């Protein structure tokens, strides 16, 4: 084959990418209080500012516990996008102020990826954030980005936790305070740190029945004044306990049984043992992050032009060791959960299969495989959640690991008898929210993209059958299947 | 050379398969990897196993259907593929390929639109037709990596992770030891199967291996209902439906990279995910509503002609170098066999692999990368 090289690889990505649709001096992701403040400050300094927030998210996403752990306890009101939009403006009067200050506001708009050049990528025309609404996705350029993505719920498995009515504190607060769209009546709250106490009091304010607070440690953990209010309201609090069993029906959870045998009727269990800073975007862009136990987990370590604010930057440091507290809950869970307790709800991975490093049920388990376990895997090196998730599929489902990634990492630390900090963070990947193919697709991509597109590298000698090398077919093959790369 | 030591640098599919084949022959093997087995391209690829362009093709096809049994662990191997044409031009191209297969006695069948939809219910009636390969197939890359690793261990082989190889000890024209930061592993023979890091390592032995590294990307959706045929290519993308139902797809432009001393930088991926999503939604329109839940990138190396380099050197003469030139997953059962043969017998027993010799690049121009435009973006 006669190959005259042109010095240009027409199948390389160079120059094929689209430019962003718009560009702002500052893009703020997340329109909570700290995001709004950052946006208003930016606008006041004369910057062009885009403020986006994924809320209100679709009912389908909420059903998948995204972005918060809603546990199926939203009312039909969350199917009405206009009503929810209105509720957001009502609950956040500062949004109006931001708009008056000249901030461009997009609600119902998800930031699913942040991209910039760095080691391994030099082909981006400029740094961009990927956005999507219910109709389409697009890219927006920025000089500075502020991540005000807040914190998400930490879930914890107990027997029967994989049924409607088991939910997170942030989700419950959002359904109550923002949307007035919570469908439960009688709540058991797990935890007695401030998050749990505040959530219980909020539920009381909304006229709900708080059946009990359950604390795994032997003493209350949170602010004494808050606890006083709980006690004053006559809410029983159980210490040194966790959930040993639960009962449920078609509508979900109906009662729980504590480790000491106490039965409590409830339609909702609110897991309020901690929030996790929402650092998905930082991690997916491979930005620096660091574990900070007093601030709720991994937090962005900061880099120029990418700033985290609010809970995304970490929970307020009160000296409380959130990681140690959560580990106590997971330790208790490991004591009570039967081997067949589901840990990953999306992929239906049981505790036994997670710790046994066994594959999903659609695969055979030959003897050699059954003899493998976390124990044997640890002989090869420290536990890595990404490796374990590939083998067991825990965290590989449509909730993108939101319900199980944190507890799995803690279980791995406990089972391998290592500090939590030695377990690497399971990677987050873009899109950091599930996005339908038709939404993620760049339908109006530049023509150069298609021109450069080959199924693989576009090297004509790569796929010529051995039998045909040196025959006329080789040239026919190139003419038929390749364009441009070689003249 | 039973009972002697072979050290393998690189715990991707190539090194692990070679180690497994050697261990099967009673050789004591140690695989050294800088991180965890399969952490580079071997755990990030499309899982395709239909490499008819390779001298290793027949062995690839012979072995895959037996691999689960031979290894003792599931690989999720599935037989057969289908190539769906979405444009007139693709239909011409795919029929051209089909004709070629027929002439080479590889069983293929042309499918009309209805037949395509029967095999691939997520396809639409907007396609021109398809080619059903009744050979080839696909497997789960990560599961396959681990299957090789465990099978090798079951035969007494060792895998030492988190141990980057930093250099070699040589004496009398042979490599006598492989060095890491903490230890030197004595050896009678070495296999260098370090993917994009092969040139750096081989340079230490004074051997120039012309390879250029590049990034390729993939996306994966949430599970779809299982289709009769999961190995669905076409529309210039490749991929598979996993046995769980997810659609994992790649293709499209690559970015050439330099590889630094720590190895390739496979994170992060790029907005190419959008262009993949577009093509997948076109190829399988009934899947267009499915959520994409992850995207990722992998780094692979290519030789100047895009074909693997599997060769035992003249000097040092106990070194086998093995780069799969970006198509090494599917071929791994066969590449491991060939490497085993080269290490033990000095020649491949089942196929003529002269085509894959390093010496074919003797006299290659110094600026071969520039000439091809295979340079990183400045
Ligand atoms: C997106 C994508 C899709 C692909 N699709 C397919 C497909 O469908 N079918 C197919 O057949 N192929 C496919 N490939 C190609 C295939 O993945 C690779 O060719 C194959 O995995 C190469 O395996 P390897 O073991 O040779 O190299 P690698 O997987 O790169 O492994 C090399 C190993 O060496 C280790 N290493 C490197 N340097 C050192 C050192 N100094 N010391 C110790 N260890 C070291 C690395 O850690 C790594 O584990 C694809 C690749 C990508 C990226």
């Amino acid at each position: 084959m006669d190959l005259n090289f042109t010095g240009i690889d027409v199948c390389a990505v160079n120059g094929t990418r689209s430019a962003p649709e718009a560009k702002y001096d500052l893009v703020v992701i997340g329109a909570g209080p700290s995001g709004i403040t950052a946006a208003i400050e930016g606008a006041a300094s004369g910057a062009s500012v885009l403020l986006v927030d994924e809320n209100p998210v679709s009912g389908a996403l909420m059903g998948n516990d995204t972005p918060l752990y809603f546990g199926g306890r939203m009312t039909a009101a969350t199917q009405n996008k206009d009503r929810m939009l209105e509720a957001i403006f009502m609950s956040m009067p500062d949004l109006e102020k931001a708009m008056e200050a000249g901030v461009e506001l997009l609600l119902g708009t998800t930031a699913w990826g942040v991209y910039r050049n760095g080691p391994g990528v030099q082909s981006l025309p400029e740094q961009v954030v990927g956005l999507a609404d219910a109709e389409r996705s697009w890219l927006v350029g920025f000089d500075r980005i502020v991540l005000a993505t807040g914190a998400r719920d930490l879930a914890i498995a107990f027997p029967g936790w994989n049924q409607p009515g088991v939910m997170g504190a942030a989700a419950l607060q959002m359904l109550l305070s923002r949307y007035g769209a919570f469908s439960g009546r009688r709540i058991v709250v797990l935890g007695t740190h401030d998050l749990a106490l505040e959530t219980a009091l909020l539920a009381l304010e909304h006229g709900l029945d708080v059946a009990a607070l359950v604390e795994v440690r032997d003493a209350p953990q949170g602010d004494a004044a808050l606890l006083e209010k709980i006690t004053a309201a006559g809410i029983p609090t159980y210490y040194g306990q966790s959930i040993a069993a639960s009962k449920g029906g078609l509508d979900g959870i109906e009662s729980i049984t504590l480790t000491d045998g106490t039965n409590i009727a409830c339609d909702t269990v609110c897991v309020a043992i901690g929030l996790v800073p929402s650092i998905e975007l930082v991690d997916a862009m491979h930005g620096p992050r660091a574990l900070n136990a007093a601030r709720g987990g991994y937090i962005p370590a900061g880099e120029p032009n990418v700033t985290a604010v609010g809970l995304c930057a970490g929970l307020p440091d009160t000296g409380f060791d959130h990681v140690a507290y959560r580990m106590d809950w997971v330790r208790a869970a490991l004591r009570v959960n039967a081997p067949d307790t589901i840990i990953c709800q999306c992929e239906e991975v049981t505790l036994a299969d997670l710790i046994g490093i066994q594959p999903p049920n659609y695969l055979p388990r030959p003897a050699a495989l059954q003899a493998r376990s976390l124990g044997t895997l640890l002989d090869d090196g420290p536990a890595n959640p990404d490796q374990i998730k590939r083998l067991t599929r825990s965290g590989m489902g449509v909730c993108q690991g939101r319900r199980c990634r944190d507890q799995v990492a803690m279980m791995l630390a406990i089972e391998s008898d290592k500090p939590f900090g030695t377990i690497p963070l399971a990677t987050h990947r873009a899109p950091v929210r599930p996005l339908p193919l038709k939404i993620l697709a760049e339908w109006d991509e530049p023509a150069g993209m298609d021109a450069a597109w080959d199924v693989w590298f576009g090297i004509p000698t790569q796929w010529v059958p051995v039998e045909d090398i040196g025959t006329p077919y080789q040239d026919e093959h190139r003419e038929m299947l390749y364009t441009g790369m070689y003249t | 050379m039973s009972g002697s030591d072979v050290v393998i640098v690189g715990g991707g599919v190539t090194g692990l398969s070679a180690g497994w084949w050697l261990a099967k022959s009673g050789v004591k093997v140690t695989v050294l990897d800088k991180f965890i087995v399969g952490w580079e391209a071997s755990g990030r690829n499309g899982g395709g196993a239909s490499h008819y362009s390779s001298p290793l093709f027949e062995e690839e096809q012979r072995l895959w259907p037996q691999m689960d049994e031979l290894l003792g662990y599931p690989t999720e191997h599935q037989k057969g593929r289908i190539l769906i044409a979405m444009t007139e031009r693709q239909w011409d191209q795919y029929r051209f390929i089909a004709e070629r297969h027929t002439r080479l006695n590889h069983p293929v069948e042309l499918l009309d639109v209805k037949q395509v939809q029967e095999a691939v219910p997520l396809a639409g009636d907007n396609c021109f037709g398809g080619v059903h390969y009744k050979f080839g197939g696909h497997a789960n890359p990560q599961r396959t990596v681990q299957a090789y690793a465990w099978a090798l261990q079951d035969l007494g082989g060792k895998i030492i992770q988190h141990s980057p190889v930093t250099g070699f000890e040589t004496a009398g024209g042979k490599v006598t030891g492989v060095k890491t930061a903490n230890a030197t592993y004595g050896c009678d023979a070495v296999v260098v199967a370090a993917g994009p890091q092969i040139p750096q390592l081989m340079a230490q032995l004074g051997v120039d291996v012309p390879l250029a590294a590049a990034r390729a990307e993939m996306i994966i959706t949430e599970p779809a209902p299982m289709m009769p045929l999961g190995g669905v290519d076409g529309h210039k993308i490749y991929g598979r439906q996993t046995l769980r139902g997810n659609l994992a797809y790649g293709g499209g432009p690559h970015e050439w990279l330099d590889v630094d001393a720590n190895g390739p930088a496979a994170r992060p991926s790029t907005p190419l995910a959008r262009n993949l999503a577009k093509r997948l939604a076109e190829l399988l329109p009934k899947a267009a509503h499915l959520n994409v839940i992850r995207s990722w990138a992998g780094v692979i190396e290519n030789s100047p002609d895009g074909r693997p380099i599997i060769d035992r050197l003249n000097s040092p003469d106990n070194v086998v170098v093995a780069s799969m030139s970006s198509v090494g997953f599917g071929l791994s059962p066969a590449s491991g066999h060939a490497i085993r043969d080269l290490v033990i017998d000095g020649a491949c027993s089942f196929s003529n692999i002269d085509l894959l010799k390093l010496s074919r690049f003797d006299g290659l121009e110094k600026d071969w990368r520039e000439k091809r435009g295979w340079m990183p973006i400045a």
Side-chain angles (χ1 to χ4, degrees):
Chain A
M1 190 176 323
D2 255 354
L3 301 173
N4 298 310
F5 301 109
T6 58
I8 293 171
D9 175 359
V10 296
C11 292
V13 77
N14 311 34
T16 58
R17 298 184 192 277
S18 50
E21 246 182 58
K23 185 169 175 187
Y24 297 84
D25 297 331
L26 174 65
V27 174
V28 181
I29 315 293
S34 46
I36 296 175
T37 305
I40 292 177
E41 279 171 16
S45 72
S48 59
V49 183
L50 175 67
L51 173 62
V52 303
D53 196 293
E54 65 190 324
N55 294 294
V57 301
S58 70
L61 270 189
M62 288 177 113
N64 272 325
D65 292 325
T66 303
L68 301 176
Y69 184 22
F70 294 105
R73 279 291 178 259
M74 22 334 151
T75 63
T78 56
Q79 303 292 336
N80 183 335
K81 193 154 184 175
D82 289 340
R83 218 207 91 164
M84 289 171 86
L85 273 171
E86 210 173 288
I88 290 175
F89 276 103
M90 297 277 284
S91 66
M92 307 256 234
D94 284 353
L95 279 177
E96 307 264 5
K97 275 194 209 149
M99 290 168 80
E100 281 157 23
V103 171
E104 195 173 321
L105 175 68
L106 292 176
L107 296 180
T109 302
T110 301
W112 48 268
V114 179
Y115 299 97
R116 74 252 199 267
N117 289 327
V121 181
Q122 288 299 329
S123 54
L124 301 173
E126 56 188 285
Q127 55 188 10
V128 290
V129 52
L131 301 178
D133 60 19
E135 308 294 323
R136 65 183 197 116
S137 69
W138 68 101
L139 303 178
V140 162
F142 61 86
D143 282 337
R144 280 186 303 127
I145 193 161
V146 168
L147 303 171
T149 45
R152 62 182 171 78
D153 290 305
L154 176 90
I156 197 159
F158 56 82
W161 77 298
N162 52 327
Q163 56 184 326
V166 182
M167 68 183 306
L172 179 58
Q173 291 188 12
M174 180 179 279
L175 291 183
L176 288 175
S177 307
R178 183 181 278 181
Y179 297 131
F182 172 63
S183 67
R185 294 292 322 153
R186 187 173 155 84
I187 308 170
V188 169
V189 176
L190 299 191
T192 60
H193 194 242
D194 296 350
L195 175 71
L197 301 177
E198 283 158 6
T199 308
L201 291 170
L202 183 74
L204 285 178
E205 268 172 42
H206 282 262
L208 297 166
D209 190 1
V210 178
L213 266 63
V214 178
E215 172 54 54
V216 78
R217 288 184 171 170
D218 292 331
Q221 301 296 304
D223 181 77
L226 292 177
L227 185 71
E228 185 63 46
K229 291 191 194 163
I230 298 280
T231 318
I235 299 171
T237 309
Y238 298 88
Y239 296 102
Q241 301 295 316
S242 61
I243 300 179
S246 67
K247 283 203 182 118
L250 272 183
D251 289 329
I253 200 127
E254 289 171 351
S255 73
I256 58 162
T257 307
L258 301 183
T259 34
D260 70 359
T262 309
N263 271 306
I264 308 171
C266 60
D267 57 35
T268 300
V269 172
C270 176
V271 186
I273 65 173
L275 297 179
V276 182
S278 296
I279 64 156
E280 295 97 315
L281 285 168
V282 174
D283 190 40
M285 72 195 276
H286 207 33
R289 66 268 182 314
L291 179 65
N292 188 324
R295 304 204 63 187
Y298 284 91
I299 56 174
E303 58 182 304
N305 304 325
V306 181
T307 324
V309 299
L311 295 180
C312 173
L315 312 183
D317 184 350
T318 60
F320 185 71
D321 185 337
H322 290 279
V323 169
Y325 181 58
R326 294 166 195 179
M327 290 283 276
D328 283 350
W329 277 98
V330 174
R331 254 182 228 106
L334 283 172
R335 280 195 298 273
V336 298
N337 282 338
D340 65 353
T341 307
I342 297 284
I343 302 298
C344 171
Q345 296 191 21
C346 298
E347 301 294 308
E348 299 187 337
V349 182
T350 64
L351 177 59
D353 288 349
L354 176 72
I355 303 303
I357 312 295
Q358 293 300 305
N361 284 328
Y362 51 82
L363 291 180
R365 296 185 185 185
L369 185 48
Q370 288 179 42
R372 296 278 168 181
S373 66
L374 180 60
T376 65
L377 201 63
L378 291 174
D379 292 339
D380 299 336
N384 187 302
D386 281 330
Q387 184 184 25
I388 286 155
K389 104 190 166 189
R390 294 166 177 191
L391 296 173
T392 65
R393 294 199 59 82
S394 64
M396 298 287 264
V398 70
C399 90
Q400 298 177 312
R402 260 173 279 275
R403 288 182 291 219
C404 73
R405 60 159 51 237
D406 309 288
Q407 44 179 332
V408 165
M410 288 189 272
M411 286 177 200
L412 294 178
I414 292 164
E415 293 289 328
S416 58
D417 201 18
K418 288 275 178 347
F420 177 72
T422 65
I423 306 296
L425 180 68
T427 51
H428 299 85
R429 310 259 182 198
V432 302
R433 297 288 182 270
L435 272 189
L437 282 168
K438 63 181 177 199
I439 301 287
L440 181 59
E442 184 177 21
W443 290 110
D444 53 351
E445 66 181 22
M449 181 57 81
D450 207 50
W453 198 283
D454 190 85
V455 62
W456 200 227
F457 273 78
I459 305 172
T461 42
Q462 189 154 49
W463 296 101
V464 176
V466 196
E467 295 86 339
D468 291 325
I469 296 175
T471 71
Y473 172 76
Q474 177 173 279
D475 292 322
E476 237 180 277
H477 180 272
R478 187 183 74 202
E479 272 157 36
M480 196 64 198
L481 301 178
Y482 296 91
T483 44
M485 179 175 182
Y486 301 89
T487 56
Chain B
M1 64 183 277
S2 173
S4 58
D5 278 333
V6 176
V7 172
I8 297 174
V9 186
V13 281
T14 309
L16 291 170
S17 174
W20 172 67
W21 276 97
L22 285 163
K24 276 206 319 168
S25 301
V27 175
K28 271 192 351 203
V29 284
T30 300
V31 178
L32 298 172
D33 197 276
K34 67 176 167 95
F35 199 60
I36 295 175
V37 290
W39 222 247
E40 299 291 356
S42 295
R44 301 163 178 272
N45 62 71
S50 326
H51 298 104
Y52 53 83
S53 59
S54 173
L56 303 174
F57 172 63
E58 274 178 35
E59 184 68 352
E60 173 194 57
Q61 297 304 306
R62 182 182 78 84
L63 285 167
W64 266 115
Q66 316 172 37
M67 287 311 279
D68 283 25
E69 207 172 313
L70 290 174
L71 295 169
Y73 299 90
T75 63
E76 298 187 28
H77 176 257
Q78 300 289 301
K79 202 170 170 187
R81 294 199 77 91
I82 187 167
L83 200 54
I84 304 177
M86 300 304 297
T87 65
E88 189 100 51
R89 169 139 174 85
Q90 287 167 12
W91 191 217
D92 288 344
Q93 291 177 323
Y94 298 172
R95 280 181 300 184
F96 169 83
I97 297 173
E99 261 170 49
R100 211 62 195 172
H101 283 307
T102 305
R103 212 174 50 71
L104 295 170
N105 288 324
H106 307 154
V108 293
E109 192 189 335
L110 290 185
L111 306 183
D112 63 23
V113 176
K114 195 168 147 273
Q115 291 168 313
V116 166
Q117 287 185 298
E118 273 160 21
V120 182
L122 294 173
D125 44 23
N126 57 341
C127 68
F128 283 74
V131 181
H132 183 182
Y133 291 17
K134 303 197 168 162
F135 61 95
H138 57 98
N140 179 324
Q142 293 138 2
R143 237 174 256 297
T144 302
V145 163
Q146 201 66 57
Y148 282 127
W150 282 340
L152 181 164
Q153 289 177 329
D154 291 344
L155 294 170
K158 285 207 182 78
I159 296 174
I160 300 178
Q161 302 187 131
H162 306 281
S163 299
V165 168
T166 53
F168 303 95
E169 276 176 1
T170 54
K174 290 189 185 300
V175 172
T176 53
V178 178
K179 293 192 282 193
T180 68
N182 301 320
T184 299
Y185 297 85
C187 60
D188 290 345
V190 182
V191 175
V192 179
Q197 283 172 276
I198 290 172
Q200 298 168 0
L201 285 162
M202 295 305 292
Q204 302 203 37
L205 294 171
V207 179
D208 184 25
V209 184
L211 293 170
R215 185 188 61 252
E217 304 191 26
M218 298 195 74
I219 59 172
I220 192 164
T221 69
E222 65 184 311
M226 288 306 288
M227 303 191 289
L229 222 156
V232 183
D233 295 329
H235 203 29
K236 298 204 256 182
I237 55 175
Y238 61 88
R240 57 191 266 270
Q241 181 174 40
T242 70
L243 290 189
R244 170 73 170 100
N246 314 72
L247 305 172
Y249 275 81
H254 46 270
E255 180 170 345
W256 296 102
L257 303 170
D258 274 333
V259 175
D260 74 16
N262 295 321
R267 292 189 71 200
S269 55
T270 78
L272 195 71
R274 300 180 68 213
N275 311 95
L276 281 166
K278 170 179 184 279
R279 283 162 181 77
L280 182 51
E282 286 166 350
L283 178 69
L284 301 177
K286 291 178 184 154
H289 64 286
L290 288 181
N291 283 306
V292 177
I293 54 178
R294 288 182 292 279
S295 65
W296 68 91
V299 179
I300 46 264
E301 75 284 5
N302 262 303
S303 76
D305 62 11
R307 291 188 184 271
I309 298 170
I310 302 182
D311 200 4
R312 177 155 161 184
L313 305 183
N314 292 325
S315 162
D317 73 358
N318 64 339
V319 176
V320 171
V321 59
S323 162
M324 294 310 293
S325 196
S326 84
V327 283
F329 173 75
L331 289 170
S332 61
S335 62
H337 189 182
I339 295 166
R340 174 232 165 260
D341 288 357
L342 290 179
V343 171
I344 297 183
D345 311 318
C348 180
S349 61
F350 58 87
S351 177
N352 179 348
I353 59 166
D354 287 351
L355 181 66
L356 310 182
K357 276 183 169 304
L358 176 59
S359 57
R360 71 186 189 274
F361 300 119
D362 287 351
L364 181 75
E365 55 280 56
K366 279 261 163 310
D367 60 350
W368 67 274
R369 282 189 76 166
E370 287 86 345
K371 281 214 161 101
R372 287 165 177 74
W374 291 9
M375 298 299 289
I377 298 167

